[in-house]
Amino acid sequence: MILAGDVGGTKTQLALFEPGARARAPAHSAKLASHGHASLAALVREFVDPLGARPARAVFGIAGPVVGGRCEATNLPWIVSEPEMSAALDGAKVTLMNDLEATAWGLEQLDASDLVTLQPGEPHAGNRALIAAGTGLGEALLVWNGSRWRPSASEGGHADFGARDPLEDELLLWLRAAHGRVSYERILSGRGLADLYRFLTATARGAEPPAFASRFAAAEDPAALVTEAALDGSCGRARLAVERWVDIYGAEAGNLALKALAVAGLFVGGGIAPRLIDVMRDGRFARAFGAKGRLAPMLREIPIAVIRDERTALWGAAAVGLAA
């Protein structure tokens, strides 16, 4: 059998496939919490052992840089290596790749119904790019080689944040005082959305309803609370936070499109965008994406789509494993 995995900072999705199966047709699958396990090997054994499965090949997309078959996970206390995982799986051939690279491989498995268009654009032959905010911020390139797109991993989400206006100048200084260096991931992540709300509170921007501050302080997932309050209209400050977060997301997506020369399309993955889809497609994401001065006309021609299928990275890992 073939084992595929999408290893994220919050959850890990695993699936087993029979040889020759389609990448979206697993024989068994499960979603497990990433935290609470001592290692990826322990988590994987928890999945395969009850099934009596002994996969011959395994491919894992993992959130973090993979160098020489080894990854120090960005948002997990794990160091994962291909030899370690092979030993844990009784000698199976193991491939590690960045989770955004796995998502990029999974794009070919998607149907039109799995995508929400933010900007139709006019695609040209050339590269694509992928950006995904969730527990962290991932980015990847899909390089056109004349016949197909070849995914290439990136850690561009950790590049320095660039403020675009006076409010973001203040935000940068506030985040720097709190955290030191400020990357795009510092903002474009779940914890980043919560910090953006804290910044708006500290600078007295937006109306906050009574008792919301205590709910925010006590929330296990403050970003989820901010999202809920923004979408149901119960907190003006939460709405400001979400709208500014989407603006910054669009701006960084545009930066990535410039660096990749992604004239064939920009895809938005991760777990946050589908929850904010109404805000994402009200035009603000595309406007921030295209606000690139003399290059704005080119950016307006790049198609932008949000990926709705949360298992795209799993399908990509499976496709790589099944093709070997």
Side-chain angles (χ1 to χ4, degrees):
M1 298 192 82
I2 308 300
L3 173 63
D6 170 22
V7 185
T10 301
K11 66 182 183 300
T12 292
Q13 305 209 55
L14 298 170
L16 283 163
F17 298 79
E18 298 287 352
R22 293 183 298 108
R24 295 178 76 169
H28 303 280
S29 63
K31 183 192 297 186
L32 299 95
S34 301
H35 289 280
H37 294 85
S39 64
L40 177 60
L43 186 152
V44 167
R45 292 308 297 250
E46 181 180 311
F47 172 65
V48 300
D49 285 353
L51 299 171
R54 292 294 179 266
R57 176 151 171 72
V59 179
F60 300 101
I62 185 166
V66 178
V67 179
R70 179 180 181 274
C71 177
E72 294 188 28
T74 306
N75 294 301
L76 287 167
W78 296 348
I79 297 176
V80 184
S81 72
E82 290 174 353
E84 171 210 4
M85 293 306 301
S86 178
L89 291 169
D90 303 321
K93 180 175 174 54
V94 173
T95 298
L96 294 182
M97 63 175 64
N98 175 263
D99 62 333
L100 263 289
E101 182 181 355
T103 303
W105 282 112
L107 290 176
E108 292 183 358
Q109 308 301 320
L110 301 181
D111 301 320
S113 60
D114 297 313
L115 302 171
V116 177
T117 299
L118 301 185
Q119 176 171 284
E122 296 181 13
H124 298 273
N127 300 337
R128 289 173 163 179
L130 171 66
I131 188 167
T135 305
L137 178 66
E139 299 184 358
L141 284 65
L142 292 92
V143 180
W144 179 248
N145 66 8
S147 59
R148 67 172 302 175
W149 285 284
R150 175 77 183 185
S152 179
S154 166
E155 288 298 329
H158 295 278
D160 299 325
F161 169 63
R164 300 170 301 145
D165 63 16
L167 185 148
E168 290 180 15
D169 290 338
E170 289 184 51
L171 173 63
L172 175 58
L173 293 174
W174 188 89
L175 287 170
R176 186 182 293 150
H179 303 292
R181 178 179 177 269
V182 182
S183 67
Y184 272 98
E185 180 174 281
R186 178 61 67 184
I187 301 167
L188 298 175
S189 58
R191 68 180 184 273
L193 177 56
D195 264 351
L196 185 48
Y197 187 87
R198 294 184 183 101
F199 161 73
L200 294 175
T201 299
T203 56
R205 287 180 166 96
E208 182 181 71
F212 191 85
S214 58
R215 289 176 60 203
F216 180 86
E220 182 177 342
D221 186 350
L225 178 64
V226 170
T227 299
E228 178 185 355
L231 296 181
D232 68 18
S234 62
C235 178
R237 184 172 294 161
R239 184 72 186 191
L240 284 180
V242 164
E243 289 178 347
R244 177 60 64 152
W245 190 92
V246 170
D247 286 340
I248 295 171
Y249 201 5
E252 172 57 2
N255 292 340
L256 175 60
L258 288 175
K259 293 172 184 177
L261 198 60
V263 294
L266 185 286
F267 294 87
V268 184
I272 298 179
R275 297 177 202 155
L276 298 179
I277 196 63
D278 288 342
V279 185
M280 296 282 292
R281 63 183 178 185
D282 72 358
R284 70 183 59 251
F285 184 97
R287 285 193 297 272
F289 177 88
K292 303 300 181 189
R294 290 175 294 169
L295 275 297
M298 184 186 78
L299 272 291
R300 285 195 291 268
E301 292 189 352
I302 295 176
I304 309 170
V306 173
I307 300 168
R308 299 174 63 183
D309 189 338
E310 68 168 7
R311 294 194 287 178
T312 304
L314 182 66
W315 307 144
V320 171
L322 290 163

